[in-house]
């Protein structure tokens, strides 16, 4: 692993596997989804050890502290050693039971629909 003093945030996000591709990291930066030390970051913004990076990818926000700067993409085990994850735990999704019908059973009959409506009213 080649350790450096600073790197571009777009490249670093890709190298430590927070994004799947470099263009995805650059697009996140341009879209305002990346902040370095609480400042909006462009893809060319440099990161150094000790910096805090907030990145929103999909519907999840990751907060990471840079411990090592790398330029090249490395394995997942090595990538985890390059940052400290300070992200809050993702919210748990409540279990919602789903009514299951046999495949090929066709449309529910009027009686089946009424039973389903009664069951759904009891769930809410």
């Amino acid at each position: 692993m080649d350790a450096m003093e600073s790197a571009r945030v777009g490249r670093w996000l890709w190298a430590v596997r927070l994004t799947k591709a470099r263009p995805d990291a650059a697009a996140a930066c341009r879209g305002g989804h990346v902040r370095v030390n609480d400042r909006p970051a462009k893809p060319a913004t440099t990161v150094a050890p000790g910096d805090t990076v907030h990145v929103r990818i999909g519907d999840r926000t990751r907060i990471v502290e840079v411990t090592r700067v790398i330029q090249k993409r490395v394995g997942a085990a090595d990538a985890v050693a390059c940052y400290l994850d300070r992200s809050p735990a993702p919210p748990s999704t409540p279990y919602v039971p789903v009514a299951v019908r046999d495949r090929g059973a066709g449309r529910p009959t009027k009686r089946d629909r009424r039973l389903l409506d009664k069951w759904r009213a009891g769930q809410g």
Side-chain angles (χ1 to χ4, degrees):
M1 228 181 311
D2 85 55
M4 313 197 97
E5 291 181 18
S6 66
R8 296 168 59 108
V9 70
R11 187 169 184 144
W12 184 82
L13 288 172
W14 167 77
V16 296
R17 297 176 172 264
L18 290 176
T19 60
K20 290 185 179 185
R22 283 186 64 192
D24 294 342
C29 291
R30 282 192 301 275
H33 303 295
V34 179
R35 297 178 71 81
V36 176
N37 296 329
D38 293 327
R39 297 180 136 186
K42 293 182 178 179
T45 302
T46 58
V47 292
D51 288 347
T52 302
V53 179
H54 295 250
V55 59
R56 187 168 56 111
I57 300 168
D59 59 349
R60 183 156 183 225
T61 299
R62 304 281 304 266
I63 302 168
V64 295
E65 182 180 335
V66 180
T67 56
R68 186 181 318 144
V69 177
I70 57 174
Q71 294 282 336
K72 302 215 184 235
R73 194 164 172 100
V74 294
D78 294 334
V80 173
C82 295
Y83 62 88
L84 296 173
D85 197 353
R86 306 229 188 266
S87 305
S92 62
T93 55
Y95 172 73
V96 178
V98 178
V100 178
R101 289 183 48 82
D102 293 331
R103 186 178 176 118
R107 289 181 59 173
T109 62
K110 193 174 201 176
R111 180 176 183 271
D112 291 339
R113 194 189 75 241
R114 287 181 177 158
L115 287 172
L116 282 171
D117 290 341
K118 184 178 177 181
W119 179 76
R120 286 184 185 134
Q123 295 295 319

